Amino acid sequence: MIYFKNKMDFLKISKITLRIFVLLTILFSCAQSQEKMHTNKLINESSPYLLQHAHNPVDWYPWGEEALKKAKDENKLLIISIGYSSCHWCHVMEHESFEDSAVAKLMNEHFVSIKVDREERPDIDQIYMEAAQLISGSGGWPLNAIALPDGRPIFAGTYFPKTQWMQLLQNVQKFYTQEPAKALEQAQKLTEGIRMVESNLDPSQSGDYEKEELRKIVAAWMPKMDKKWGGQDKAPKFPMPVGLDFLLQYQYLEGDLEVRQILELSLDKMAMGGIYDAVGGGFARYSTDRYWKVPHFEKMLYDNAQLVSLYSRAYQVFKKPLYKEVVYESLEFIEREMTGNEGQFYSAIDADSEGEEGKFYVWKKDEFEEVLAADKAIFNRVFNITDAGNWEHGNNVLIREKSWEELAKDENLSREELLGKWENAKSKLLEVREKRIRPGLDDKALTSWNALMMEGYIDAYKAFSDQKFLKAAIKNAEFLEKHMLSANGKLLRNHKDGKSVINAFLDDYALLSSAYFSLYQVTFEVKWLEKSKLLTDYALKNFSDSSNAMLFYTSSEDQALIARKKEVTDNVIPASNSVMAHNLFNLAKMFDEKSYMEKAEEMLSFVRDDLEKYGLYYSKWSALLIRFNYPVIELAISGKKYNEYRQKIDLNYLPLTIKMGSAKESELPLLKNKYIAGQTTLFVCKNKVCDLPVTEVEKALHQIRAMRLDE
C-alpha cells in the first residue's frame, strides 16, 4: 500500500488571457466549459461532500442498487471512494485525480465508481476501513477501496497521487481480468477477516466489582499521558474528550491527585494552544504536534459538542474562569457559524480556504498589528506573534503559553484590565477575519452529532444556569423530534434542505436517547424521558444480536452489506454500544426495570478484560464500570419549587446522581408517594432506600456526599 504523508500543494491552473492566442484560448475555453458542464449521478444528492464531486468527469454514483447492478451487469470492479467534506486530503485527491480527464477516462472505462460520505454512511466506511487496516495496518481518509461487483474488497488504501492511482487501477484491473480466481480468493479472505472481528466478542467477567479494577485501568493509562503538555504522549494529538471525562469522574470519586493534575494540565494546555480558536471560539479537530500548537484547522461539531460538555463539568470541579470562557466562546461560535434556523447544528467547517489549509485563521505580523494598533505590542507577546511567524510561510497561530493571570502580571495589569483589552482586540480581529473568504461549511445535520451538541448545551446550562443554553437545547430537541423521529421510535440520520432520507444507525439511537434523558433531568418534562425509553426499546428490538449482548451498528430493516458490524471501542466519539449500555443503566434506575440493568451488565462483561489493556479506547466502558463500583444516587424533588431546587443542585458536579422531579404527584417509580402538599421536598435515595426527606438544597447535597462515602 502506498500511504502518502507529506503535504502537497493543489494544482494551479493558469488561464490564458483573451488578448493572446485567441484561437487557442477559444478552443481551450470550450473544452473547459464542456468539462465543467459534465454532471454525474451525485447531482441529486444532498450531502455537501457528494455534491463537491457532482461535476467531476468521473461518472460517480451514490451508494445504491443502481451502481451495484451496473457493476454486476457489466462485470466491472467497483471503486468505492469514501471521504467527508472537510477532509483536506480528500480535496487534494479530487483536484489531482478526480478532476483529471485521463484519470476519469480510466475509471469510467473499467470500473463503476461510487462516492460515499462517511458521515452519512459510517456503516459502509467501517467495512472498507477494516479492509484497509487488514491490508496495511493503517487507515485514513480519503479511503479508496476496489471491490468485486458484489462489494467484497480486493484492495483498500488511502490517498494516492495521480500517477500511482492510475498505476494501481491498471494493475488491479489486469489482475481481475487475467486471474479472476485469485481475485475472488483475495476478496473472500478479506471479507472473512472483516467478519471475524465480531465473532471474537465473548463475555469475560461479570459481577464481583472491585475498585481495584478501576485503579489498575488508570495506573496502566497514566504512563501514556504527556506530563508536560497534557493529553496523550504522542503526535498528532487529539483532545479525546471521552477519556478526559472518565478521568474527571475518577479523580472526583477517588481523590487521585496525579489524575487531577494531568487532567487540569490537559484542559489548560488545550484551551491556551493553537487547537483552540482564540479569536472565534471553538476547537479544531486535532493538533499536528504534541504541544497543541498547530492544529489541523477543520472544526467538527462532535469535537466541540463534547468539549463544551467536558469544560462545563470541569468548571463545576475546578471553578476556573478559563473553563467558563471556553464554554461561552465555543457556544458563541456554534450559534454564529454552525446553527440553522430551526435549531439544527451543522456538521463541519473545512480546514481549507482559497486552496490553503488554515488561511482563514492565521495572521501575518503586520496584519495583526494593523488591526490591534495601540495594543499590538502586548498581544504580540501574549500570543507569540513574530515577524518570521510561529508556523509556516510567515504565518502566526494564536498561542498562549501562560494563563491570563500570569500574563497580566507580566504586563503589569490586572486580569480584568488585560481581558478587557483582549475583548476589544478580539472583536476587531473577528471583524477583519469575517471579511476573508470563508472555509466551506458542511451544513447537513446528523442526528447523532446533533444529540452530542444538545448534550453540550445541557451541560453548559447545568454549570452556569444560563437560560439561553437551555433554550438552544430544547429547540434542537424539537427539531430532531420533528424531522428525524417517528411515533414508533424509528429514526432518520441526516437532514439537509428539508430532506431526511437515510435510516439511522445505532449511534443515532444511543446518543439521542442519552440527550433526551439529560434534557428530562434539567426540565423534568416527562415526554423527553419517554422518548429516551422509546428510542432504547426500538434499538433493542431492531439492532440486537441473538448470539451475544452487543448490538449491531445497522438495523435489521437496512439493506444488508457484506458484513454486519458492531461498534465497541470508544474513540473521539464514544462507541454506540458503550453509550447504549449507559442508557440502559440510567433507564433501569429511572423506571425500576431489571431487564435493562441485566442487559447493561452483560454488555460490560464482554469488554472488561480489555479495559486495562486498551484504557483510552474503552473510556466510556470504564465510566460504566464506575457506575457498578460506586453508589448511584437517586434524587427526587417534589413540590412547587422543584425546578428552582434542581437548578441549585445542578451547579455542583454530581456524576453519579440521577434526578427526577415534579410539582405534584407522579407515576414515575422513584417519585411515587413523594409529594407532600404545601412544600418542596428532596429525597436522597440509594437503591430505592431513602434518607430522611429535607426541604433545603444544602441538606440534600450533604446527604448525597455522605451517602457516596458511606458504602
Side-chain angles (χ1 to χ4, degrees), residues 301 305 340-347 443-458 471-496 499-500 502 504 507-517 519 527-528 531-532 534-535:
L301 180 67
N341 292 333
E342 292 187 80
Q344 75 272 37
F345 302 120
Y346 300 141
S347 295
D443 61 349
K444 68 176 179 290
L446 297 174
T447 297
S448 56
W449 296 7
N450 271 247
L452 285 170
M453 193 69 250
M454 188 205 308
E455 194 112 36
Y457 270 102
I458 291 167
K471 288 178 182 176
I474 292 172
K475 189 173 183 180
N476 181 252
E478 291 171 344
F479 164 81
L480 294 171
E481 180 185 18
K482 176 181 177 182
H483 293 287
M484 306 299 206
L485 180 60
S486 300
N488 68 347
K490 183 176 181 177
L491 273 176
L492 294 169
R493 179 171 178 81
N494 67 325
H495 183 86
K496 188 178 184 300
K499 293 188 294 184
S500 302
I502 298 173
D507 57 338
D508 299 302
Y509 286 89
L511 290 166
L512 186 54
S513 175
S514 175
Y516 279 157
F517 187 89
L519 188 57
K527 76 168 188 173
W528 302 122
K531 289 185 187 304
S532 175
L534 176 70
L535 288 166

Side-chain angles (χ1 to χ4, degrees), residues 84-91 118-119 141 238 274-275 277 282-287 295-304 333 338 347-352 357-358 361 439-440 442 449:
Y84 55 101
S85 69
S86 58
C87 165
H88 172 72
W89 288 105
C90 300
H91 300 329
R118 69 168 296 265
E119 296 169 352
W141 297 277
F238 290 78
I275 193 174
D277 181 359
F283 288 87
R285 184 163 167 251
Y286 64 86
S287 171
H296 179 48
F297 290 88
E298 64 184 330
K299 288 182 174 180
M300 309 302 295
L301 180 67
Y302 59 76
D303 285 318
N304 284 283
F333 151 68
M338 297 191 76
S347 295
I349 296 176
D350 208 333
D352 301 358
E357 185 179 0
Y361 298 101
D442 188 326
W449 296 7

